[in-house]
Amino acid sequence: MIRYAPVAALVAVTAAVPAAQAQQGDLAAVQAHLRAVDSMIAAFAQTDRSGKVLNGTLTLKKPGRIRFQYEKGVPILIVGDGKAIWFLDYSVGQRSRWPIGDSPLGVLIDPNRDISKYAKVVPSSSPNILSVEAYDAKRPEYGRITMIFERQASAPGGLMLQGWVALDSQKNRTTVRLTNQRFNVPVSDNTFRFNDPRKGTRRN
């Protein structure tokens, strides 16, 4: 049995090398996609940990701007204004603020991030689907995000962002699915203005 051990070890090493190369190639493709997208508009369906689904329109513009406009009747709004991510609840007149770098969404709206330092490819049931988990082990309070892409030659970087799964530091899971994605379309900066729910005044 012992004499076969070196052979088994060699097989393990040679199998690991292509796997590592494939992961590096996939991460490079995701990085290329993220850098190729300056703006995006898409319909989204958001599912929380209780299974409740909210629909709306997602608008993204780099650097640092994102807006989740929920369907009529939903009194909340999420906006990234270039400096921070705001969660606004108009039903109770409250707002919360996080620096963009502290949010998993920073992966999508910060074009200067090098995801190879904190992201990894995770197994997928289909070779046409690429899933990448981004997580900073030194800052677990920032949560993690798993982005799901479909390989499409016509999409930016050859990948179509299908959505993501976000997990915050309290293990609350939120799933976002995208449809009708449009990339690099004109988006006005005014899209990312909002009314302060505490004062009813508009912010730039």
Side-chain angles (χ1 to χ4, degrees):
M1 293 295 296
I2 296 177
R3 66 172 178 241
Y4 293 107
V7 176
L10 179 60
V11 171
V13 170
T14 54
V17 171
Q21 291 175 342
Q23 176 153 145
Q24 290 176 352
D26 285 338
L27 285 177
V30 171
Q31 188 80 70
H33 167 88
L34 294 174
R35 290 178 174 170
V37 174
D38 293 321
S39 67
M40 180 181 70
I41 298 175
F44 74 83
Q46 173 187 298
T47 306
D48 65 16
R49 63 176 181 175
S50 66
K52 183 179 180 180
V53 179
L54 295 176
N55 299 296
T57 300
L58 167 67
T59 306
L60 177 153
K61 184 178 182 180
K62 296 178 182 177
R65 295 178 176 88
I66 194 167
R67 182 184 183 101
F68 292 85
Q69 182 67 56
Y70 291 88
E71 59 195 305
K72 187 176 181 179
V74 178
I76 60 175
L77 179 67
I78 298 175
V79 180
D81 61 5
K83 298 179 181 178
I85 303 289
W86 296 88
F87 177 84
L88 311 163
D89 189 336
Y90 293 95
S91 65
V92 294
Q94 291 183 351
R95 69 178 191 179
S96 301
R97 178 186 184 278
W98 297 271
I100 288 174
D102 293 2
S103 168
L105 292 174
V107 175
L108 298 173
I109 56 181
D110 183 353
N112 298 316
R113 280 198 177 184
D114 180 2
I115 67 168
S116 65
K117 296 180 179 180
Y118 56 89
K120 65 178 181 179
V121 176
V122 295
S124 172
S125 59
S126 169
N128 199 42
I129 299 298
L130 173 58
S131 298
V132 172
E133 180 187 67
Y135 171 67
D136 188 343
K138 296 180 180 179
R139 297 176 176 177
E141 69 275 15
Y142 292 174
R144 66 181 70 202
I145 185 171
T146 302
M147 299 172 287
I148 297 95
F149 298 88
E150 183 179 5
R151 301 182 194 273
Q152 290 188 19
S154 60
L159 296 174
M160 176 68 74
L161 179 62
Q162 298 292 323
W164 59 86
V165 179
L167 193 68
D168 67 19
S169 57
Q170 284 76 46
K171 306 301 182 182
N172 294 314
R173 182 183 301 271
T174 303
T175 301
V176 173
R177 292 180 173 86
L178 303 179
T179 54
N180 300 323
Q181 300 92 323
R182 293 183 290 146
F183 298 100
N184 298 328
V185 294
V187 175
S188 170
D189 289 346
N190 290 335
T191 303
F192 308 97
R193 300 176 67 184
F194 59 89
N195 292 324
D196 190 325
R198 302 176 307 171
K199 303 176 182 178
T201 56
R202 182 171 287 275
R203 290 181 56 91
N204 292 323

